[in-house]
Amino acid sequence: MAAAASMATSLTFPLLPSQGLRGPFTSSLPCTIPQRRFWRKVATNLITAKFELKPPPYTLNALEPHMSRQTLEYHWGKHHRTYVENLNKQIAGTELEGLPLEDIIIVSYNNGDILPAFNNAAQAWNHDFFWESMKPGGGGKPSGDLLDLIERDFGSFEQFIQEFKSAAAAQFGSGWAWLAYKANRLDVENAVNPWPSEKDKKLVVVKSPNAVNPLVWDYFPLLTIDVWEHAYYLDFQNRRPDYISMFMEKLISWEAVSARLEKAKALAAEREMEEERRKKEEEEKQTDGEAVEMYLDSDTDDSEAE
Amino acid sequence: MALRSLATRKTLTLGLNSTRLTQSRALQTFSLPDLPYDYGALEPAISGEIMQLHHQKHHQTYITNYNKALEQLHEAIQKGDSSTVVKLQSAIKFNGGGHINHSIFWKNLAPIHEGGGEPPKGSLGWAIDTSFGSLESLIQKMNAEGAALQGSGWVWLGVDKELKKLVIETTANQDPLVTKGPALVPLLGIDVWEHAYYLQYKNVRPDYLKNIWKVIDWKYASEVYEKECP
């Protein structure tokens, strides 16, 4: 296995300034629907772009005594690094090279019939998201919009904690548990929700096996806990429930979760407007010959702007 | 197994009085099998700490939760609560599978001075040479499959008892080998969950796979093979 060779290298942690995993031309949208035209351009312009291992937003001993430096040295320095390195090797020279990480995840998920790049791409993304879900001195209780939504959708904060904990504990085998914002969408491609309402935009707790994450279901992830054994074995051995409680009580960065929620809401609204606009355009195109010409014009404008 | 005997007994006792029914369905529970060697006896290939946690904590937890699920199943069947019966299947597969798999795994291991690492003898040895070319190439193949397995699971050498043929398979999580085909009988299973090696080998699963062959005991595998392919 190629991973084995890179795994065996000595423990060094160069804290390089990096562009982060998303790569320079990636939209910072956590959940964009890939657009064909965009891919082609990026792919031709950025043949040599590589994903870089981004360090957590704190030092490796900053989460002690709850999560040890040793755990982070292996988890970030070895596991996360290997996913990123293997992804770069795997996509080099393929049509996936140069795509934003989120797009690689969605394309290689291939509606559940996963392609080889999926595991490395999704795990690279998941770990970044996990590091940023924690902070030294985290835990406690969220506030503002986030708390309101949690109370609306789970009944109470305590009820949410229960649901999240049991999702994380009941993920049989390796995987992740998530809090996600489920925007008003049907799971069927090209289908339109006939009765969209504010209530459709809600928070959900989900678990996922191995590398799978909620991006593939078109949800906006807000918070995650890694329940692969490597995430807690050095500190908690078999005691996964203790690790989960510690994560909830001492490490969650509710600021990060709140910021993600605000972004998700804005993006969901933007997406809705875009869909609305497209729908109108479609209607006009069907009834009006001139509209066809306008559509082509805007297409050309777009390419020039690149 | 227990699931089937419950169902069979139910059919057999249908129509009998309810006292009789309850009595005949006293639930069998499972308990942790002893290891035939000390926790530290597989060192340096597998550390004593790993063996102790793996046996006393992990295997025990599968058994505890398997017994719990069987008890709930028993109740649900008595009540005729089909949706609970169906809901319990994933917990039974996971925890029952964990119990089955680990029980085989312990029998596949032995300290070096008690036969660990000695190549298989008799008909299994010949069958391996015929199917895979040599023991070394079987090992290479199983190690490659084990290293490539995403997440948690097992890599198996099994025999298809109908085709009388050796097979290498992997299963996810605690799925037992039989989930890959009803005729498949496990001979040798290697646990590639991180809990099987992490304290000692950390992220380097291939090194664990390389070293475990030093303590693999082929006696159990040979016995099962000879029984299935006399």
Side-chain angles (χ1 to χ4, degrees):
Chain A
M1 200 181 147
S6 59
M7 283 166 178
T9 53
S10 66
L11 274 171
T12 46
F13 305 103
L15 298 177
L16 297 172
S18 83
Q19 295 155 317
L21 270 175
R22 294 199 166 122
F25 274 80
T26 312
S27 55
S28 57
L29 316 185
C31 185
T32 46
I33 299 301
Q35 290 172 7
R36 215 161 271 285
R37 212 172 42 191
F38 180 53
W39 300 351
R40 212 170 41 228
K41 280 180 198 158
V42 176
T44 48
N45 291 349
L46 271 175
I47 291 163
T48 55
K50 286 207 165 194
F51 294 112
E52 284 177 35
L53 179 71
K54 187 170 140 188
Y58 35 78
T59 58
L60 297 185
N61 61 1
L63 304 182
E64 288 193 332
H66 312 298
M67 190 178 280
S68 68
R69 180 192 176 90
Q70 196 195 15
T71 289
L72 277 159
E73 280 176 355
Y74 280 100
H75 199 177
W76 174 73
K78 296 290 188 182
H79 292 275
H80 191 176
R81 183 185 305 275
T82 306
Y83 291 124
V84 175
E85 285 174 354
N86 286 346
L87 175 66
N88 282 328
K89 278 183 225 152
Q90 213 165 16
I91 63 173
T94 74
E95 56 187 3
L96 295 175
E97 190 173 24
L99 292 187
L101 189 55
E102 290 87 345
D103 290 355
I104 295 178
I105 291 169
I106 289 167
V107 173
S108 63
Y109 182 68
N110 196 23
N111 290 317
D113 186 11
I114 63 168
L115 305 174
F118 177 76
N119 286 322
N120 288 317
Q123 284 293 73
W125 191 94
N126 293 347
H127 282 91
D128 249 359
F129 198 81
F130 178 56
W131 308 137
E132 289 167 13
S133 295
M134 300 185 286
K135 66 166 194 182
K141 214 175 158 176
S143 58
D145 272 5
L146 177 59
L147 184 61
D148 291 346
L149 275 193
I150 285 176
E151 287 173 347
R152 186 196 74 181
D153 295 335
F154 299 100
S156 67
F157 178 66
E158 289 65 36
Q159 192 61 34
F160 156 75
I161 293 281
Q162 276 317 310
E163 268 193 49
F164 191 86
K165 278 184 178 175
S166 76
Q171 170 53 45
F172 291 152
S174 305
W176 302 77
W178 306 82
L179 172 68
Y181 182 66
K182 185 173 181 286
N184 123 46
R185 279 263 164 154
L186 290 182
D187 288 342
V188 190
E189 215 178 326
N190 296 330
V192 177
N193 190 338
W195 302 108
S197 83
E198 274 306 305
K199 273 273 177 80
D200 294 330
K201 296 168 205 149
K202 62 173 188 178
L203 300 181
V204 288
V205 165
V206 285
K207 57 188 167 146
S208 64
N210 296 338
V212 174
N213 68 37
L215 293 179
V216 306
W217 305 311
D218 197 22
Y219 296 177
F220 297 90
L222 304 178
L223 167 70
T224 195
I225 180 171
D226 188 346
V227 292
W228 283 59
E229 285 175 321
H230 65 232
Y232 59 86
Y233 213 81
L234 296 177
D235 294 332
F236 291 90
Q237 292 84 49
N238 61 304
R239 303 187 315 278
R240 190 196 282 192
D242 293 352
Y243 158 70
I244 298 167
S245 298
M246 178 282 297
F247 173 85
M248 311 290 297
E249 286 157 25
K250 310 285 186 193
L251 295 182
I252 292 181
S253 167
W254 287 113
E255 290 81 355
V257 182
S258 278
R260 286 162 174 167
L261 175 65
E262 291 316 308
K263 215 155 129 191
K265 279 159 66 177
L267 282 164
E270 206 174 280
R271 202 165 71 174
E272 242 171 61
M273 278 167 62
E274 173 68 12
E275 271 165 13
E276 217 30 58
R277 193 188 60 79
R278 225 178 284 161
K279 215 168 82 186
K280 259 190 207 147
E281 220 175 61
E282 279 294 308
E283 283 166 9
E284 277 167 28
K285 205 170 90 183
Q286 276 167 6
T287 53
D288 190 346
E290 235 186 296
V292 176
E293 215 181 299
M294 276 174 65
Y295 178 77
L296 289 173
D297 277 343
S298 79
D299 194 21
T300 322
D301 285 343
D302 239 322
S303 347
E304 279 167 6
E306 242 318 288
Chain B
M1 291 199 21
L3 184 60
R4 183 189 289 168
S5 73
L6 269 177
T8 322
R9 278 184 208 155
K10 170 131 187 170
T11 355
L12 288 177
T13 49
L14 267 183
L16 299 181
N17 69 58
S18 62
T19 331
R20 182 75 187 284
L21 193 77
T22 338
Q23 278 173 354
S24 70
R25 294 216 264 124
L27 198 63
Q28 191 199 346
T29 57
F30 294 86
S31 54
L32 188 65
D34 285 335
L35 285 193
Y37 36 79
D38 291 339
Y39 289 131
L42 305 181
E43 288 185 349
I46 305 175
S47 76
E49 192 187 6
I50 288 179
M51 287 303 293
Q52 184 166 3
L53 281 164
H54 202 171
H55 180 250
Q56 277 183 355
K57 302 290 182 184
H58 291 277
H59 191 173
Q60 180 62 61
T61 306
Y62 294 121
I63 290 172
T64 306
N65 291 334
Y66 182 43
N67 286 336
K68 223 182 274 172
L70 288 180
E71 201 183 302
Q72 287 166 347
L73 179 71
H74 179 72
E75 266 171 43
I77 289 174
Q78 276 188 325
K79 283 194 218 144
D81 178 357
S82 300
S83 92
T84 303
V85 170
V86 171
K87 203 179 87 187
L88 283 166
Q89 300 308 309
S90 64
I92 289 171
K93 183 175 166 193
F94 182 71
N95 294 297
H99 174 47
I100 294 170
N101 296 341
H102 285 92
S103 299
I104 297 167
F105 184 57
W106 309 135
K107 291 183 203 154
N108 290 144
L109 300 169
I112 289 168
H113 57 88
E114 287 169 27
E118 271 176 35
K121 299 185 185 106
S123 61
L124 178 59
W126 288 108
I128 288 172
D129 287 347
T130 314
S131 301
F132 304 104
S134 66
L135 178 62
E136 284 62 45
S137 69
L138 166 74
I139 291 174
Q140 245 175 40
K141 224 170 154 214
M142 285 184 72
N143 285 0
E145 296 259 344
L149 191 144
Q150 255 293 305
S152 310
W154 292 77
V155 52
W156 300 96
L157 174 67
V159 59
D160 185 315
K161 63 182 177 188
E162 274 154 26
L163 303 174
K164 309 289 179 199
K165 202 175 141 255
L166 293 177
V167 291
I168 294 174
E169 278 286 355
T170 57
T171 56
N173 301 326
Q174 291 299 354
D175 293 359
L177 181 60
V178 73
T179 59
K180 286 287 174 106
L184 295 183
V185 179
L187 304 177
L188 172 67
I190 297 179
D191 190 345
V192 292
W193 278 62
E194 287 171 325
H195 67 231
Y197 61 85
Y198 207 80
L199 292 179
Q200 192 175 352
Y201 294 94
K202 310 293 192 301
N203 57 311
V204 196
R205 189 192 285 177
D207 283 359
Y208 157 71
L209 287 168
K210 202 175 82 194
N211 284 343
I212 197 170
W213 294 99
K214 294 172 188 163
V215 289
I216 289 291
D217 181 15
W218 287 94
K219 267 186 231 106
Y220 172 79
S222 293
E223 279 165 29
V224 177
Y225 181 76
E226 277 159 28
K227 202 181 117 219
E228 299 298 343
C229 304

